[in-house]
Amino acid sequence: MSLHFVKPYHKHLIKTSFLLSSLLWGMIPGSIHTVCAETAETDQQLSQTDSHTVAIDPGHQGPNVDMSALEPLGPGSTEMKAKASTGTQGAFTGLEEYQLNLDVSLKLEQELTDRGYIVVLTRRDNDTAISNKERAEYAVEQGAEICVRIHANGADSAASGALTISPSSANPYVASLYEQSNLLSQCVLDSYCQATGFDNRGVTYADNMTGINWSTIPVTILEMGFMTNEHDDLQMSDPDFQDTMVTGIADGIDSYFESVGKDVEN
């Protein structure tokens, strides 16, 4: 996408150990507040062990799929947008964004599954004809609690770094999702940048994204880096570095659910 505008790992064992220690010493775990960027073991100890369902949306699809037909920008909107586009391309690697998005998303699916999540993917190949509106609806139909849309950026300048896109508090369609989408956006971005070392360009608020406006669950778009920047492009195309990227995204999703869980407990 252009900027042009544009674990629970086996946490059952961790928490079980923590609870046993608490009982032995007569302790009652209290409420602990943390920020999204934190990755301390305490966060893992206090995380809920219930499985969460996460939708991952690999942005775009191959150019052989005609997605030029129009669909409403949001529920009840008279403004129309193309159903989808093919995205940008690596200026130095030649890697297509739609392929990068899919590669990272498939790795992310495995990482989240290993951590105990249930994962929904909106597409598994580059030939799936699914619009941005349909992606949002599919995520909800499959029982997802959040949707993380995977994209990469492009610009006419030497811009670099990662950002997330979230609906604003004044979004005419999903203003009710602002708070949790903003939290999700911040958690994913901070953890991703911490893992990758990419510049953190912050959360951007946009109300002209069809895939956001049709969502009924917290949603964010992660722009993983700029494919028009040599450093970002070369890093993102490296399969080994993609593992690091995926770890960062998954850590951010962990942080989000841990933060939401603490709010519920309080």
Side-chain angles (χ1 to χ4, degrees), residues 9 27 31 114 219 230 247:
Y9 298 104
M27 297 166 53
S31 299
D114 290 345
V219 57
E230 183 173 9
T247 297

Side-chain angles (χ1 to χ4, degrees), residues 1-6 153-154 163 165 204-209:
M1 179 180 291
S2 174
L3 188 63
H4 300 322
F5 44 82
V6 24
N153 235 325
L163 60 89
I165 302 176
T204 297
Y205 301 96
D207 298 330
N208 62 343
M209 302 291 180

Side-chain angles (χ1 to χ4, degrees), residues 28-259:
I28 300 176
S31 299
I32 297 178
H33 297 279
T34 59
V35 295
C36 292
E38 292 180 346
T39 56
E41 288 185 0
T42 302
D43 281 344
Q44 294 182 350
Q45 291 173 333
L46 295 180
S47 297
Q48 296 182 4
T49 58
D50 295 339
S51 294
H52 293 288
T53 302
V54 175
I56 303 300
D57 176 28
H60 309 291
Q61 54 264 100
N64 57 303
V65 183
D66 183 8
M67 301 300 291
S68 61
L70 303 179
E71 62 185 4
L73 178 62
S77 174
T78 57
E79 183 177 350
M80 308 292 282
K81 288 185 68 174
K83 287 187 172 184
S85 64
T86 56
T88 188
Q89 182 184 48
F92 300 87
T93 64
L95 179 62
E96 299 287 352
E97 184 195 348
Y98 60 81
Q99 185 64 57
L100 171 64
N101 296 340
L102 182 60
D103 291 343
V104 172
S105 294
L106 290 172
K107 289 189 173 189
L108 179 57
E109 177 189 29
Q110 185 60 60
E111 176 66 21
L112 291 174
T113 300
D114 290 345
R115 296 190 185 201
Y117 290 94
I118 299 168
V119 184
V120 174
L121 252 65
T122 60
R123 69 179 178 94
R124 293 183 172 278
D125 56 49
N126 293 322
D127 301 318
T128 299
I130 183 170
S131 73
N132 289 318
K133 172 179 176 289
E134 291 165 341
R135 292 164 189 257
E137 293 173 332
Y138 180 76
V140 174
E141 290 167 0
Q142 297 302 307
E145 299 166 65
I146 60 171
C147 183
V148 179
R149 308 180 63 202
I150 302 299
H151 284 258
N153 235 325
D156 293 332
S157 65
S160 64
L163 60 89
T164 47
I165 302 176
S166 181
S168 78
S169 59
N171 185 291
Y173 311 104
V174 290
S176 62
L177 298 179
Y178 163 73
E179 186 173 345
Q180 287 194 322
S181 294
N182 183 61
L183 174 63
L184 176 62
S185 297
Q186 196 68 64
C187 287
V188 169
L189 180 62
D190 287 350
S191 293
Y192 177 81
C193 290
Q194 183 179 31
T196 62
F198 279 20
D199 291 339
N200 188 328
R201 299 177 67 93
V203 179
T204 297
Y205 301 96
D207 298 330
N208 62 343
M209 302 291 180
T210 310
I212 287 179
N213 295 341
W214 280 95
S215 184
T216 55
I217 55 176
V219 57
T220 186
I221 299 175
L222 171 63
E223 297 283 359
M224 300 180 290
F226 283 78
M227 300 190 80
T228 46
N229 176 274
E230 183 173 9
H231 169 269
D232 290 5
D233 187 23
L234 293 175
Q235 289 283 77
M236 291 189 294
S237 67
D238 181 347
D240 290 335
F241 190 74
Q242 288 174 4
D243 294 338
T244 300
M245 295 162 63
V246 161
T247 297
I249 300 170
D251 286 348
I253 292 172
D254 278 352
S255 293
Y256 169 79
F257 281 115
E258 288 162 6
S259 297

Side-chain angles (χ1 to χ4, degrees), residues 8-27:
Y9 298 104
H10 301 285
K11 291 185 179 176
H12 304 278
L13 297 177
I14 298 173
K15 186 170 183 179
T16 299
S17 176
F18 178 74
L19 291 175
L20 287 174
S21 298
S22 300
L23 290 171
L24 288 171
W25 292 99
M27 297 166 53

